[in-house]
Amino acid sequence: MAGANGSAAAEAAAHRVGAPTNPMATALLTDQYQFSMAYAYWKAGKHADRAVKNPFGGEFTVFAGLEECIKFIANFKFTEDDILFLQSVMPMCEDAFFDYLRKTDCSDVEVYSIPEGSVVFPKVPLMRVEGPVAVVQLLETPFVNLINYASLVTTNAARHRHVAGKSKVLLEFGLRRAQGPDGAISASKYCFMGGFDATSNVLAGNLFGIPLRGTHSHAYVSSYMSLDEIPDKSLKSKDGSRVCKNFVSLVKEWLQKIQLADSLCGVFGETNQSELAAFASYALAFPTNFLALVDTYDVMRSGIPNFCAVALALHDLGYKASGIRLDSGDLAYLSIEARKVFRTLEKEFNVPAFGKMIITASNDLNEETIDALNKQGHEVDSFGIGTYLVTCYSQAALGCVFKLVEINSRPRIKLSEDVAKVSIPCKKRCFRLYGKEGYPLVDIMMRESEPSPKAGERILCRHPFLESKRAYVVPQHVEELLQCYWPGTSNKPRVELPSLEEIRGRCMQQLEKLRPDHIRRLNPTPYKVSVSAKLYEFIHSLWLNEAPVIDSETKAAKHRYNIRTPCFME
């Protein structure tokens, strides 16, 4: 519970970092049992106990959502309407508890985090949250909510970027298929963070400054019946020196030239005139950014020649068409054939760079289909990806978790029959150790009281639970991972939140630093996460101290009834 000075500091901090992107991210955005535990802590006089918690679960993940977490705690408070609602659903709680909630903010909370956009691995804590246990308990659900999807979709985007390669343009087209408006806005933001170049989502472009891209749909093409439907056929040249009074006639002339071109050997016959009308009309509206969807009727027999006729007419007036979009069919074959036509016409009519026009592919693309296209060979320059990207179709959730690791400076551990679920106790510092080639070799967790590892000095890295897995590492560079983003009342220096562009740059840089075998699609080499020798000994000492002792008679009974004991006790 913060006093007057704490509340003033919290208000100043909230003004500095801004409000959460989603206005629904309020103090009530948590699970019922968090309030139940907060009340139980308060009732027992434990609500001010100092707690330290670590979230994560995950192989290679890109961490995202930190900015929204900091904005959340900066604005954390209960309104009087919130209090009235809580009183109505928790009538058994004493009035004094609600008075406590009225005064509660996060001015006494400290948040240490790996920088947003960093590549992270299982077991390394993404974030360390310190503060009064009741307040930290109320932060658990919203923090996990703000981190889980953000990290999942950023990772999904980064994987698409990795398989597509650096040279391809990636466009996020998921607005219509996302899980509601918030899912769509979050997806646009975090796909950009994960390496995408632009979005079709206009609101996301407005909120975050993400570049916008988009063309027309099949409905626009099929809405035209004939060239006569175009009312104003005039178009001024790009330099403004002249006016073409009948752009449509110019387009028809070019279509005839294409049909008669010697280099094409009469491959193009009659085309769909309603499609030609749609393309001509769209070009009149957007002469500087003409990109057409060419698969409404027939890509090679109609869409490509119609597009080329309009593009060449625009060239006559000093404009340069952007390219085409393919939304169905054999994308590898069609892109290759379209490129051949573009290059042929460039030579036939001496139109510079006509053969290099952009070919964009869409149609339910995902990581696997892009990988398949790469193996087949294709001429696609840009991929528009929607459903599989923003819904994270291949994995529904990340599984980030929040665990208590220390209370009032006393380390705590969660035990489980599943060793992967055993928590690593105590307040920790985390470091990434780099080798001679610049690749990270291993991440190591250490107790806060231990000296930091140094470049050039040998350090023993141990698996947290397997005694035989250990190795000496001599790092060439050492990077501390957890930084202070919210100091609370500690007066520690606070790292300022970077811009979205800076986070995106960090993500791309981090992926480039990883060894290729760690991030390949199939059978990636597991990245090693370790603990120091002192932390290893401490974990197992605490483990033995907390685990119940099973006598031989009880154990025999368990075996008779086929009740499993924890594997680490066998």
Side-chain angles (χ1 to χ4, degrees):
M1 183 168 64
N5 291 337
S7 296
E11 289 177 11
H15 178 74
R16 185 169 66 248
V17 303
T21 299
N22 188 339
M24 288 189 291
T26 70
L28 287 185
L29 184 67
T30 192
D31 292 310
Q32 164 66 28
Y33 79 99
Q34 307 291 12
F35 282 106
S36 299
M37 284 188 284
Y39 178 71
Y41 283 133
W42 177 85
K43 183 71 174 173
K46 289 173 60 66
H47 57 282
D49 287 2
R50 198 74 181 173
V52 181
K53 293 199 171 193
N54 289 331
F56 196 64
E59 192 46 69
F60 119 67
T61 299
V62 179
F63 171 49
L66 171 64
E67 179 184 10
E68 294 299 325
C69 288
I70 299 303
K71 287 181 175 179
F72 181 84
I73 63 172
N75 293 273
F76 185 91
K77 63 181 179 181
F78 292 98
T79 67
E80 196 56 37
D81 285 343
D82 294 339
I83 297 297
L84 290 173
F85 174 75
L86 289 171
Q87 287 175 322
S88 71
V89 296
M90 302 179 71
M92 72 296 295
C93 296
E94 298 175 25
D95 288 342
F97 171 66
F98 299 107
D99 291 336
Y100 158 73
L101 290 181
R102 284 185 177 94
K103 300 173 185 178
T104 295
D105 59 32
C106 291
S107 57
D108 196 26
V109 172
E110 297 174 34
V111 176
Y112 302 81
S113 176
I114 290 176
E116 192 162 11
S118 297
V119 174
V120 293
F121 302 92
K123 287 297 180 187
V124 175
L126 297 175
M127 189 181 292
R128 189 176 81 227
V129 184
E130 304 179 27
V133 65
V135 178
V136 173
Q137 195 70 63
L138 294 174
L139 295 178
E140 174 178 350
T141 296
F143 268 35
V144 171
N145 177 268
L146 292 168
I147 289 170
N148 257 325
Y149 179 70
S151 298
L152 184 65
V153 76
T154 305
T155 305
N156 199 21
R159 290 177 65 91
H160 281 77
R161 165 54 69 194
H162 178 68
V163 73
K166 295 180 184 178
S167 65
K168 303 302 179 185
V169 174
L170 295 183
L171 311 173
E172 180 267 309
F173 284 172
L175 175 57
R176 290 178 294 172
R177 304 291 176 82
Q179 289 95 335
D182 183 54
I185 293 296
S186 296
S188 296
K189 176 182 180 179
Y190 294 115
C191 285
F192 182 72
M193 187 183 293
F196 273 59
D197 299 288
T199 179
S200 65
N201 187 335
V202 177
L203 180 56
N206 179 46
L207 289 173
F208 309 120
I210 302 172
L212 293 171
R213 293 285 183 86
T215 177
H216 59 78
S217 68
H218 296 104
Y220 181 83
V221 177
S222 59
S223 70
Y224 280 82
M225 299 296 289
S226 74
L227 291 162
D228 295 333
E229 294 179 41
I230 303 174
D232 183 2
K233 298 178 174 62
S234 63
L235 179 62
K236 185 181 290 186
S237 64
K238 187 175 182 182
D239 62 8
S241 62
R242 58 196 173 95
V243 175
C244 175
K245 293 184 178 180
N246 196 330
F247 180 71
V248 172
S249 293
L250 183 60
V251 168
K252 292 170 71 175
E253 289 174 16
W254 270 112
L255 180 58
Q256 189 173 30
K257 290 179 183 179
I258 292 170
Q259 291 166 335
L260 298 175
D262 292 337
S263 57
L264 291 174
C265 303
V267 69
F268 295 127
E270 291 299 316
T271 63
N272 186 296
Q273 293 299 289
S274 62
E275 180 182 60
L276 185 64
F279 289 177
S281 178
Y282 197 75
L284 285 166
F286 299 100
T288 60
N289 188 28
F290 175 57
L291 191 148
L293 179 60
V294 296
D295 70 331
T296 304
Y297 301 109
D298 188 296
V299 173
M300 296 310 302
R301 293 181 181 178
S302 183
I304 293 298
N306 279 340
F307 164 78
C308 289
V310 176
L312 289 166
L314 285 172
H315 180 266
D316 277 355
L317 298 174
Y319 298 101
K320 181 182 177 182
S322 296
I324 63 169
R325 177 161 71 97
L326 301 168
D327 192 50
S328 61
D330 187 332
L331 298 177
Y333 168 77
L334 291 173
S335 66
I336 291 170
E337 292 303 306
R339 182 72 69 200
K340 287 178 182 177
V341 173
F342 296 163
R343 288 172 178 161
T344 298
L345 293 178
E346 177 179 343
K347 293 178 181 178
E348 178 80 18
F349 300 111
N350 191 27
V351 183
F354 198 83
K356 296 179 180 179
M357 284 189 296
I358 294 170
I359 299 176
T360 299
S362 49
N363 186 32
D364 281 341
L365 299 179
N366 57 31
E367 189 181 346
E368 288 72 26
T369 54
I370 295 173
D371 186 50
L373 285 169
N374 289 341
K375 291 173 180 175
Q376 293 174 57
H378 64 86
E379 285 290 335
V380 176
D381 304 294
S382 175
F383 294 100
I385 309 172
T387 305
Y388 288 91
L389 176 67
V390 303
T391 64
C392 298
Y393 189 85
S394 59
Q395 182 175 332
L398 177 62
C400 178
V401 294
F402 212 75
K403 295 298 179 186
L404 181 73
V405 296
E406 189 174 287
I407 187 81
N408 288 338
S409 300
R410 296 176 61 186
R412 307 305 299 146
I413 189 171
K414 175 193 177 296
L415 301 181
S416 172
E417 291 189 8
D418 182 354
V419 177
K421 292 187 176 182
V422 176
S423 65
I424 298 178
C426 76
K427 188 187 299 188
K428 298 175 287 293
R429 297 171 69 198
C430 305
F431 299 87
R432 184 158 291 172
L433 310 184
Y434 291 83
K436 294 179 180 179
E437 296 179 347
Y439 294 128
L441 301 172
V442 62
D443 287 359
I444 186 168
M445 291 173 274
M446 314 179 77
R447 299 197 70 178
E448 192 181 42
S449 58
E450 293 186 60
S452 304
K454 294 181 174 60
E457 293 186 3
R458 190 172 74 159
I459 181 170
L460 178 61
C461 299
R462 304 203 61 170
H463 188 284
F465 308 119
L466 302 180
E467 185 176 7
S468 62
K469 289 193 174 183
R470 52 187 179 173
Y472 281 107
V473 174
V474 180
Q476 301 302 302
H477 170 65
V478 176
E479 177 189 5
E480 184 160 9
L481 298 180
L482 293 173
Q483 301 176 22
C484 181
Y485 284 89
W486 187 262
T489 57
S490 68
N491 294 320
K492 294 176 183 176
R494 173 179 176 268
V495 177
E496 293 297 324
L497 293 169
S499 68
L500 183 57
E501 281 279 3
E502 289 171 327
I503 297 171
R504 183 180 187 273
R506 178 180 183 83
C507 177
M508 298 300 95
Q509 185 183 51
Q510 290 259 307
L511 290 169
E512 287 178 5
K513 283 183 178 180
L514 289 179
R515 268 192 0 226
D517 57 307
H518 286 315
I519 57 174
R520 64 191 177 202
R521 287 190 61 249
L522 298 176
N523 301 317
T525 303
Y527 181 82
K528 292 179 174 58
V529 173
S530 66
V531 296
S532 66
K534 286 186 178 179
L535 181 54
Y536 176 87
E537 295 296 335
F538 180 77
I539 291 169
H540 291 266
S541 173
L542 186 62
W543 193 334
L544 290 174
N545 186 60
E546 296 290 343
V549 179
I550 301 174
D551 60 40
S552 57
E553 183 177 342
T554 303
K555 187 171 182 179
K558 284 178 177 286
H559 280 250
R560 281 199 301 274
Y561 288 100
N562 198 30
I563 302 173
R564 287 188 60 217
T565 52
C567 59
F568 50 83
M569 295 294 291
E570 291 291 327

